[in-house]
Amino acid sequence: MKLHARTAPHIRHPESSRTLMSDAIILLLVLCVLAFLYYGLRALLVCAVSVLAAVAADLVCVLLRGRRPNPRDLSAVVTGLVIALMMPATISFTAVATAAVFAIAIVKHPFGGTGSNLFNPAAAGFSFAAICWPVQVFSYPLPFDRIPLWGQAASSGQLVYQAGEMSVRLYQNPVFVLKVGGIPTNSLSEMLLGNYPGPMGATNILVLLACLCYLIYRGTVRWQLPISFLASCAAVVLLFPRESTDRIQSLLYELMSGLLLFAAVFLLSDPVTRPKRDSALIVYGIFAGIITMFCRYSGGFEESVTFAILLANAVMPAIDRHDEELHRLLRRKRLEFGKLKKTQKA
């Protein structure tokens, strides 16, 4: 028998990181098309600026680290698209480009680059933009409004996107109405179809649910994480509803507004920053869901899911470690129980 030496890994899986990234990019491009239908050409331009900034920052960081660029690494494209789709179509190009560069240069590469980052780069980039430009990030145009390509985005005290003599009025998301104690006037059918002001890629609930089902079917997302996350969010809403009229209506508004479902599909399920075992995924999802709703209820911003995800990323190693210790203890008890049964039979 003739043996041939090969480098690791010796156990391979048909799904590589490139195919996982490709699945995400395909779905994100579908959301880009919807954003174009809702908001016009400026939505695509925002996405392009974000992706170009992320790819350029990734290339510069790779070269500074003395590494060879890998054209098969599509993670920067995914990060740029996710950041853009969490923004309004009227966001300034400076804000979205800065968020993308921050995600790559500050959050991703200092920890080792692709596959080694401790925090989700897209969540960190969006959180950075939300802190620096809160009015721009949380002010949204109505779908099908005509948005000029070049204009001045909303500033403090002004919910207007100004382009010369033309102005586009901006609105708050329904999650802001819930935070201030009001009841959203948007119908549930409008929210299912994305016909209300919100982030470019996070308003069409039916499409996001279809994306989640596709990723679960492909194995890119393991169902335990988004289900436990959404279930824990729903439990908090049912126990402590912010809308005084109807718990079920309050539940639907909470789950269908803001970035909650988008984050469950494209942020929380990041294979690098999520736990490994199914049981740890459930604990991680429950923790992230409770923190998300706590941030929504008590945080400084109406939409704080990205901050909650970053906090969940920070405790993920501890969840993984304690889960592994628990499984090791259960295996030891099972082995001792098996030995005891054998001795009793003897």
Side-chain angles (χ1 to χ4, degrees):
M1 181 174 62
K2 189 175 181 180
L3 301 178
H4 299 275
R6 291 287 187 272
T7 57
H10 303 293
I11 300 176
R12 299 179 183 271
H13 193 274
E15 297 291 343
S16 65
S17 61
R18 187 165 184 258
T19 58
L20 298 179
M21 295 295 177
S22 299
D23 283 343
I25 289 174
I26 290 172
L27 298 180
L28 290 169
L29 289 177
V30 172
L31 295 177
C32 287
V33 173
L34 284 176
F36 169 71
L37 295 177
Y38 285 147
Y39 304 107
L41 190 59
R42 196 177 197 281
L44 295 184
L45 196 55
V46 169
C47 294
V49 169
S50 181
V51 171
L52 289 175
V55 171
D58 189 68
L59 178 61
V60 170
C61 290
V62 168
L63 294 176
L64 288 176
R65 294 172 60 201
R67 304 290 182 86
R68 181 180 299 177
N70 180 12
R72 298 172 64 88
D73 182 10
L74 303 175
S75 59
V77 178
V78 174
T79 300
L81 286 173
V82 170
I83 289 175
L85 290 171
M86 290 192 291
M87 300 286 189
T90 52
I91 191 74
S92 67
F93 299 129
T94 301
V96 71
T98 304
V101 171
F102 180 87
I104 299 298
I106 305 300
V107 181
K108 177 182 175 182
H109 279 281
F111 295 100
T114 303
S116 302
N117 46 283
L118 298 180
F119 300 95
N120 186 292
F126 178 84
S127 300
F128 178 77
I131 293 172
C132 296
W133 298 278
V135 179
Q136 288 190 36
V137 171
F138 297 115
S139 302
Y140 310 95
L142 284 174
F144 309 111
D145 274 353
R146 183 184 174 189
I147 304 174
L149 291 180
W150 313 102
Q152 182 66 36
S155 59
S156 180
Q158 290 183 323
L159 294 181
V160 173
Y161 175 82
Q162 193 74 34
E165 296 182 355
M166 183 177 180
S167 62
V168 177
R169 185 179 177 184
L170 304 180
Y171 300 83
Q172 303 286 0
N173 193 260
V175 71
F176 174 81
V177 179
L178 290 169
K179 184 173 180 60
V180 297
I183 301 174
T185 58
N186 312 90
S187 67
L188 295 178
S189 60
E190 287 178 336
M191 300 188 73
L192 281 173
L193 299 175
N195 190 18
Y196 66 98
M200 290 193 300
T203 54
N204 197 308
I205 302 302
L206 290 179
V207 174
L208 288 174
L209 289 174
C211 292
L212 179 60
C213 293
Y214 174 79
L215 291 175
I216 291 175
Y217 171 76
R218 289 279 294 164
T220 305
V221 171
R222 289 152 73 178
W223 64 267
Q224 292 89 346
L225 185 50
I227 296 303
S228 61
F229 171 74
L230 294 174
S232 60
C233 291
V236 172
V237 175
L238 290 175
L239 291 173
F240 309 102
R242 288 195 286 187
E243 184 185 322
S244 58
T245 54
D246 183 16
R247 289 177 184 267
I248 300 301
Q249 188 178 25
S250 177
L251 171 65
L252 293 176
Y253 276 127
E254 290 281 4
L255 296 184
M256 294 167 61
S257 60
L259 291 168
L260 199 66
L261 187 56
F262 183 91
V265 179
F266 293 107
L267 292 180
L268 197 68
S269 300
D270 175 25
V272 179
T273 56
R274 72 186 182 193
K276 305 302 181 288
R277 289 184 177 273
D278 291 344
S279 53
L281 287 175
I282 295 174
V283 175
Y284 180 75
I286 293 173
F287 176 83
I290 294 174
I291 296 299
T292 295
M293 297 313 300
F294 174 78
C295 291
R296 269 196 172 191
Y297 282 22
S298 306
F301 301 117
E302 63 267 24
E303 186 52 83
S304 307
V305 64
T306 55
F307 297 95
I309 288 176
L310 293 176
L311 181 58
N313 292 160
V315 302
M316 186 274 291
I319 294 175
D320 247 350
R321 183 174 63 255
H322 290 299
D323 184 73
E324 185 59 37
E325 291 174 355
L326 177 60
H327 279 272
R328 192 181 299 117
L329 177 63
L330 292 176
R331 286 195 299 268
R332 186 182 300 117
K333 294 297 183 181
R334 194 180 301 115
L335 181 60
E336 292 175 354
F337 182 72
K339 288 182 179 180
L340 180 61
K341 288 184 66 176
K342 286 183 181 179
T343 54
Q344 288 178 349
K345 288 182 179 179

